[in-house]
């Protein structure tokens, strides 16, 4: 190399380095404009399950810290009183009852979200975000007749997640394995997985036929294939090495959520961290067994609270907390006995998982969808309690506004001001959903049209909200929905029915 070349090379190197550091600086600046977004989503956590929402039988300091340092919504809703439709609404920005297939799905169901559809994570990708999901999916996988031993597609990766580490459906449904992107984690090819929701596989024990093998007894449903001594919904054979360990699930998802943060901390990221608690089967790590005094349901709430605390601590350690907007909520209201004899009812004492509200999971009454709803951004949000009506379906348009995207969800209102605590304006009204039945809420009023079906689900002991008559309640004077004003206040009823019809029948 002569002197000339050397000079040139070092000049080129130097200018490359300068442009490199300029680029780095630009990226840094860009990052400041694009804070990370994390949605922490619990499963069946009730309005009254957190101490910051009034629970006194248990204490949830980590979720309370987010509530007390951010906006704690008192009128925050999921889009449905059950999981699949709720998650559909959250991720698509569309009311789930618009899609007739958005019902609680079996573990073998095909993907519910059309891969062509705009979604919350897809929208964030267009704005330069890396997107990830860790935890419960329950929105179907594959295109029908899925072979679990091959590529599991389409799934979360086809509807907007760059990275996914999920359980397919629920902890009480097969397959009881984790899925990383499009393959079963830790699958032994010599022990292939078969799944059926129709028939058992030859010689496989079931909860129904082999009670002697159970460490947790079933109460209703949940009497098919036994995995880890727990009878599940659905039949499964094989995949033994890949079976999850129920008591380690919380730690496992937490580790994956932290790893996602570590892998993407240098770019704007969106993480959907969907915890499995306190859904059944409730299987706390031994560290939490007996800690709540309320039995397994209370114990897994404490475990979930710990997970949230550890996750926040991790963001802090990585110097990301000031640059991350966090929303914490639940997919539907609470249930005590959801199919296993885990003493959730017997040990509940005076704890009111529903808070002051009527109903619970599966119900059109208020406790079906009114859930904890917290928005936290360290140093950016002035702590407050907000009574604005907000719904998870609104996250899509609100986050779009947040990241400067023009994309909006069909039923998703931009409530960014309320989320950031800058405004008290939420949405005007909200269509509530439970088992494809709908109702309408606006201001202090709730109108439930006549619906067929039982008034109460006796298995879970929850009133569903069904009646042959119209129901109209004023929550301000009657928080527990005891006094039906439909006849007395015909004018209000008619107005509510008219608005409801205009939304429900709009295309
Ligand atoms: C119900 C299950 C219930 C729970 C629920 C889904 C029975 C009798 N009950 O069908 O235990 O799994 O589905 O919950 O099988 S959700 O939170 O995912 O919507
Ligand atoms: Ca749920």
């Amino acid at each position: 190399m002569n002197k000339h070349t050397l000079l040139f090379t070092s000049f080129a190197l130097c200018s490359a380095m300068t442009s490199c550091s300029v680029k780095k600086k630009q990226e840094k600046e860009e990052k400041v404009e694009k804070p990370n977004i994390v949605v922490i989503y619990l499963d069946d956590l009730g309005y009254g399950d957190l101490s910051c929402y009034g629970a006194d039988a248990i204490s949830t300091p980590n979720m309370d810290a987010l509530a007390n340092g951010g906006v704690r919504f008192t009128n925050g809703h999921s889009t449905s009183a059950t999981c699949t439709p709720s998650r559909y609404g959250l991720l698509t920005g569309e009311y789930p009852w618009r899609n007739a297939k958005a019902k609680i799905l079996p573990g073998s169901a095909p993907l519910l979200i059309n891969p062509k559809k705009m979604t919350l994570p897809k929208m964030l990708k267009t704005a330069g975000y890396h997107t990830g999901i860790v935890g419960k999916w329950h929105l179907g996988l594959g295109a029908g007749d899925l072979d679990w031993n091959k590529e599991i597609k389409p799934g979360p990766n086809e509807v907007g997640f760059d990275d996914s580490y999920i359980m397919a459906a629920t902890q009480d449904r097969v397959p009881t394995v984790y899925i990383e992107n499009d393959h079963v984690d830790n699958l032994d090819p010599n022990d292939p997985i078969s799944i059926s929701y129709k028939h058992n596989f030859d010689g496989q024990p079931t909860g129904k036929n082999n009670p002697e093998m159970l460490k947790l007894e079933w109460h209703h449903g949940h009497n098919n294939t036994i995995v880890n001594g727990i009878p599940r919904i659905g039949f499964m054979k094989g995949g033994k090495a890949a079976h999850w360990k129920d008591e380690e699930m919380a730690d496992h998802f937490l580790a994956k959520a932290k790893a996602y943060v570590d892998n993407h901390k240098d770019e704007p990221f969106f993480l959907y961290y969907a915890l499995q608690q306190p859904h059944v089967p409730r299987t706390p790590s031994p560290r939490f067994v007996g800690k709540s005094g309320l039995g397994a349901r209370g114990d897994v709430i404490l475990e979930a609270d710990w997970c949230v605390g550890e996750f926040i601590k991790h963001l802090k350690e990585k110097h990301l907390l000031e640059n991350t907007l966090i929303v914490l909520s639940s997919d539907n209201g609470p249930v005590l006995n959801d199919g296993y004899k885990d003493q959730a009812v017997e040990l509940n004492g005076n704890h009111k998982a529903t808070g002051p509200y009527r109903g619970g999971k599966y119900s059109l009454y208020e406790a079906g969808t009114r859930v904890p709803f917290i928005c936290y951004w360290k140093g950016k949000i002035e702590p407050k309690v907000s009574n604005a009506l907000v719904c998870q379906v609104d996250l899509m348009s609100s986050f779009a506004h947040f990241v400067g995207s023009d994309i909006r969800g069909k039923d998703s209102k931009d409530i960014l001001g309320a989320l950031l605590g800058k405004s008290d304006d939420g949405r005007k009204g909200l269509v509530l959903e439970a088992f494809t039945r709908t109702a309408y809420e606006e201001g202090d009023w709730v109108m439930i049209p006549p619906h067929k079906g039982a008034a109460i689900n006796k298995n879970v002991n929850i009133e569903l909200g069904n009646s042959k008559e119209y129901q109209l309640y004023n929550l301000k004077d009657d928080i527990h929905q005891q006094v039906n004003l439909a006849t007395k206040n015909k004018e209000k009823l008619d107005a509510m029915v008219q608005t409801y019809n205009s939304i429900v029948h709009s295309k």
Side-chain angles (χ1 to χ4, degrees):
M1 208 188 277
N2 64 31
K3 211 169 148 194
H4 229 93
T5 357
L6 189 76
L7 238 173
F8 178 79
T9 318
S10 51
F11 175 78
L13 238 173
C14 190
S15 65
M17 271 170 70
T18 319
S19 80
C20 192
S21 67
V22 167
K23 202 169 164 232
K24 267 244 160 82
K25 197 164 168 243
Q26 274 169 352
E27 270 171 13
K28 236 188 170 170
E29 275 162 11
E30 211 169 277
K31 183 139 171 88
V32 173
E33 285 165 21
K34 284 187 181 156
N36 310 308
I37 301 174
V38 174
V39 172
I40 302 176
Y41 209 47
L42 286 103
D43 194 358
D44 298 2
L45 185 76
Y47 188 90
D49 275 326
L50 303 183
S51 28
C52 55
Y53 278 89
D56 48 21
I58 46 174
S59 169
T60 50
N62 295 300
M63 294 195 245
D64 291 5
L66 299 182
N68 297 333
V71 185
R72 181 174 71 82
F73 289 96
T74 62
N75 201 4
H77 290 255
S78 56
T79 54
S80 168
T82 62
C83 167
T84 299
S86 211
R87 285 159 206 254
Y88 181 86
L90 168 74
L91 291 182
T92 62
E94 180 181 286
Y95 279 132
W97 43 263
R98 294 197 191 275
N99 183 337
K101 290 185 180 159
K103 300 176 187 163
I104 299 174
L105 295 178
S108 56
L111 180 64
L112 177 65
I113 302 173
N114 185 333
K116 291 194 189 119
K117 201 173 178 61
M118 180 47 75
T119 63
L120 193 162
K122 272 190 196 170
M123 176 277 292
L124 290 172
K125 269 166 71 114
T126 67
Y129 278 71
H130 192 280
T131 57
I133 169 175
V134 170
K136 177 175 176 178
W137 176 239
H138 208 188
L139 287 164
L141 292 165
D145 252 351
L146 187 67
D147 183 342
W148 296 86
N149 307 288
K150 296 190 176 144
E151 270 190 337
I152 298 170
K153 262 175 145 172
N157 302 70
E158 282 63 43
V159 298
F161 290 102
D162 294 313
D163 263 1
S164 64
Y165 194 92
I166 58 166
M167 73 167 150
T170 59
Q171 203 187 332
D172 54 351
R173 283 174 174 75
V174 300
T176 52
V177 296
Y178 299 118
I179 299 162
E180 180 160 32
N181 293 313
D182 51 15
H183 65 275
V184 170
D185 193 14
N186 210 28
L187 180 66
D188 174 358
N190 298 318
D191 181 25
I193 295 178
S194 311
I195 299 292
S196 169
Y197 272 73
K198 292 203 180 94
H199 58 83
N200 193 11
F201 300 97
D202 285 349
Q204 289 276 112
T206 63
K208 197 171 181 181
N209 298 331
N210 304 84
E212 74 287 354
M213 290 177 67
L214 302 181
K215 70 175 181 199
L216 180 60
E217 283 177 61
W218 56 279
H219 176 271
H220 56 275
H222 305 93
N223 56 18
N224 303 150
T225 294
I226 303 166
V227 181
N228 304 334
I230 301 173
R232 316 278 166 160
I233 307 172
F235 302 98
M236 172 172 179
K237 194 181 153 190
K240 202 148 194 286
H243 288 180
W244 65 49
K245 295 190 175 60
D246 293 270
E247 290 79 5
E248 292 172 14
M249 185 177 278
D251 288 343
H252 193 70
F253 282 146
L254 173 63
K256 295 289 172 188
K258 286 184 187 174
Y260 177 81
V261 168
D262 293 347
N263 291 338
H264 301 287
K265 62 180 179 352
D266 296 325
E267 58 192 319
F269 66 79
F270 166 63
L271 174 63
Y272 172 39
Y273 175 24
L275 287 77
Q276 86 280 13
Q277 305 106 322
H279 195 282
V280 295
R282 298 156 183 143
T283 53
S285 125
R287 306 193 306 279
F288 291 93
V289 173
K291 281 274 148 58
S292 67
L294 300 183
R297 185 171 187 278
D299 294 348
V300 296
I301 292 175
L302 297 190
E303 180 187 58
D305 185 66
W306 176 84
C307 291
V308 171
E310 289 301 297
F311 181 75
I312 301 296
K313 209 194 287 173
H314 193 71
L315 290 177
K316 205 171 180 178
E317 279 165 14
K318 302 288 165 181
H319 309 290
L320 294 168
L321 198 53
E322 274 94 350
N323 195 34
T324 305
L325 177 71
I326 300 166
V327 172
L328 181 146
S329 198
S330 169
D331 69 339
N332 52 251
V335 55
L336 297 182
N337 177 349
D338 208 13
Y340 291 100
K341 295 185 187 170
D342 64 3
Q343 293 209 290
V345 175
E346 293 81 350
L347 298 175
N348 186 56
N350 293 326
H351 177 62
K352 285 208 83 62
T354 55
Y357 297 108
R358 185 176 180 181
K361 181 177 181 177
Y362 310 112
S363 177
L364 268 181
Y365 289 127
E366 203 58 13
T369 62
R370 197 184 289 222
V371 288
F373 198 126
I374 297 163
C375 191
Y376 178 87
W377 187 5
K378 188 169 195 280
K380 302 291 195 312
I381 291 181
E382 283 283 322
K384 75 184 251 184
V385 176
S386 172
N387 301 325
L389 174 62
V390 295
C391 177
Q392 291 156 14
V393 77
D394 302 325
L395 291 182
M396 177 146 162
S397 294
S398 308
F399 288 167
H401 179 178
F402 187 59
V403 303
S405 160
D406 293 334
I407 295 168
R408 295 291 181 269
K410 182 176 173 55
D411 299 300
S412 183
K413 305 276 185 226
D414 175 359
I415 50 145
L416 183 63
L419 288 182
L420 299 180
K422 290 184 178 146
S423 154
D424 289 324
D425 296 336
R427 46 166 51 239
K428 183 165 168 275
L430 175 69
V431 176
L432 311 173
E433 193 260 3
F435 266 72
T436 71
R437 299 158 301 150
T438 47
Y440 183 64
E441 174 150 348
E442 189 183 305
D444 295 323
W445 295 91
V446 181
M447 183 282 296
I448 308 178
H451 286 295
K452 291 195 185 112
I456 182 164
N457 177 331
K458 290 206 176 111
N459 278 328
V460 297
N461 193 24
I462 290 174
E463 292 179 290
L464 300 174
N466 297 329
S467 164
K468 287 189 194 109
E469 317 288 336
Y470 274 98
Q471 297 175 72
L472 179 71
Y473 299 102
N474 184 307
L475 295 170
K476 195 167 172 217
D477 307 327
D478 174 25
I479 199 166
H480 201 63
Q481 299 177 297
Q482 295 296 302
V483 187
N484 183 1
L485 298 170
T487 325
K488 211 169 160 196
N489 200 336
K490 183 90 175 49
E491 215 173 296
K492 187 72 200 175
L493 177 71
D494 289 348
M496 293 284 282
V497 171
Q498 200 178 5
T499 319
Y500 163 81
N501 281 334
S502 70
I503 303 170
V504 170
H505 299 130
S506 70
K507 283 265 150 53

